[in-house]
Amino acid sequence: LIFSATDLKICTGKNACCTKSIEDEIVQNTEKIFKAQLEDKIIVLRHLINTNLNSFRTFFYNSLNACHEHLDALFVLTYVPFYQSNSQVFETFFNRLRAFSSPFSEAKVQQISSQLFEDMFVIMFQLMNPMHSVTAAQRRCMLEGMAEIAPFGDVPEKVATHLEKPLVLWKYFVTGLDNVHNILEGFMNVSTSKECRLNLARMWDCSLCSDEKESRACPGLCLNVMKGCLGDWAEMDQQWNTVIGKCHKTKARFVTVVRQRAPGMRLQFV
């Protein structure tokens, strides 16, 4: 059965056998298939990023836990009763380091390190003066004069310097991956233009409305249609490559710093 092709948009040959409603349905189905294929690629990429992101976070927390356990075991053997009764100060310190990795945290490594030594300063004073209970006002006074007294010498500065660079690089790297993962979510429901939908239908399903055998589009036609449909995506190619490049640079800097701090540690990134 042959219909007039005057109101058709995609297959206007003399042997067209589709009505306008059938053609509209073809266009809609073509758009669904195209968007599904795009979304499948994005889902795979988001899953890959999220999987590695979770692995990196797990590695970070496991590393902190291992450091905490090692320090705890060492101090228990060295300062048995004194450490056990004041171990909460180190528990708080490592909890602050864990919280630092959050993209929402505004804490600084220098600040976290300083808080540790401030707490230790007050605790040591109380241990040396067991009959004296430090009030809040006295604590503030002690901390104000701590820089001048320098009870730990240059150790606080060395600890902060030792921790800051790898932790900051780690946070930048993980936060960057987290941002990329969230940005990709915004591409899940990208709309297509009318011209794109018609060209896709013409390329993929035109044979459905004619007596011609179904055939695949030639490479040139396929490339031109995809360029038209993915034009906005192509414009993001440079920005995407920039993001990936920065992630690689941050990773390389992080690995270099960690190897300098701990030559025996092995790191593996996907």
Side-chain angles (χ1 to χ4, degrees):
L1 182 61
I2 306 299
F3 296 93
S4 171
T6 56
D7 60 345
L8 300 181
K9 299 292 185 183
I10 60 173
C11 298
T12 57
K14 62 180 181 179
N15 295 325
C17 60
C18 290
T19 63
K20 184 66 169 62
S21 62
I22 294 176
E23 184 184 72
D24 291 341
E25 185 176 348
I26 290 174
V27 173
Q28 292 175 4
N29 289 335
T30 300
E31 181 185 19
K32 289 180 181 178
I33 293 172
F34 178 70
K35 292 180 69 174
Q37 291 176 345
L38 281 180
E39 290 175 0
D40 285 346
K41 301 295 184 183
I42 295 173
I43 289 172
V44 171
L45 182 57
R46 291 186 76 234
H47 176 71
L48 176 64
I49 292 175
N50 190 55
T51 299
N52 283 283
L53 184 59
N54 290 334
S55 297
F56 296 151
R57 283 177 173 153
T58 299
F59 176 82
F60 176 77
Y61 293 133
N62 287 345
S63 298
L64 281 181
N65 291 338
C67 290
H68 189 185
E69 291 172 3
H70 178 74
L71 185 69
D72 189 70
L74 177 64
F75 281 9
V76 164
L77 292 175
T78 308
Y79 307 107
V80 188
F82 303 106
Y83 174 73
Q84 289 178 332
S85 60
N86 296 283
S87 61
Q88 183 60 39
V89 66
F90 289 97
E91 183 74 32
T92 301
F93 171 67
F94 280 98
N95 284 338
R96 286 169 177 162
L97 289 180
R98 293 183 186 94
F100 169 80
S101 66
S102 168
F104 305 104
S105 173
E106 297 182 357
K108 307 295 183 183
V109 176
Q110 181 74 43
Q111 176 187 12
I112 295 173
S113 177
S114 296
Q115 289 173 327
L116 169 65
F117 286 98
E118 288 172 358
D119 292 339
M120 290 176 60
F121 179 41
V122 175
I123 289 174
M124 290 181 65
F125 178 84
Q126 290 179 322
L127 289 175
M128 296 174 67
N129 300 273
M131 303 302 294
H132 183 80
S133 180
V134 178
T135 65
Q138 290 172 336
R139 176 187 171 90
R140 287 194 297 270
C141 180
M142 291 174 62
L143 297 183
E144 288 174 0
M146 186 174 172
E148 182 179 352
I149 299 172
F152 302 102
D154 62 350
V155 173
E157 182 179 352
K158 289 182 177 179
V159 170
T161 302
H162 191 79
L163 290 175
E164 187 170 28
K165 196 168 185 178
L167 287 177
V168 169
L169 287 173
W170 180 269
K171 182 174 182 176
Y172 283 163
F173 182 68
V174 173
T175 301
L177 287 181
D178 195 29
N179 289 337
V180 171
H181 180 265
N182 293 334
I183 289 171
L184 287 174
E185 185 178 8
F187 294 112
M188 292 297 292
N189 296 307
V190 176
S191 60
T192 56
S193 66
K194 181 179 179 180
E195 182 181 5
C196 170
R197 294 192 295 271
L198 293 177
N199 287 334
L200 286 172
R202 184 178 294 111
M203 179 178 68
W204 285 344
D205 299 321
C206 187
S207 59
L208 296 176
C209 286
S210 68
D211 60 356
E212 299 175 0
K213 293 183 178 180
E214 185 175 354
S215 60
R216 302 182 67 178
C218 64
L221 174 61
C222 182
L223 182 61
N224 288 334
V225 172
M226 290 302 156
K227 282 183 177 179
C229 291
L230 301 175
D232 293 338
W233 295 67
E235 292 179 1
M236 295 184 296
D237 186 59
Q238 182 177 354
Q239 291 88 335
W240 175 259
N241 289 334
T242 299
V243 170
I244 298 302
K246 288 184 177 180
C247 284
H248 278 297
K249 288 181 180 179
T250 303
K251 181 207 73 172
R253 290 175 61 193
F254 173 74
V255 172
T256 300
V257 170
V258 171
R259 285 175 176 169
Q260 290 174 347
R261 300 289 193 273
M265 181 177 289
R266 296 183 61 186
L267 294 176
Q268 182 175 358
F269 292 89
V270 177

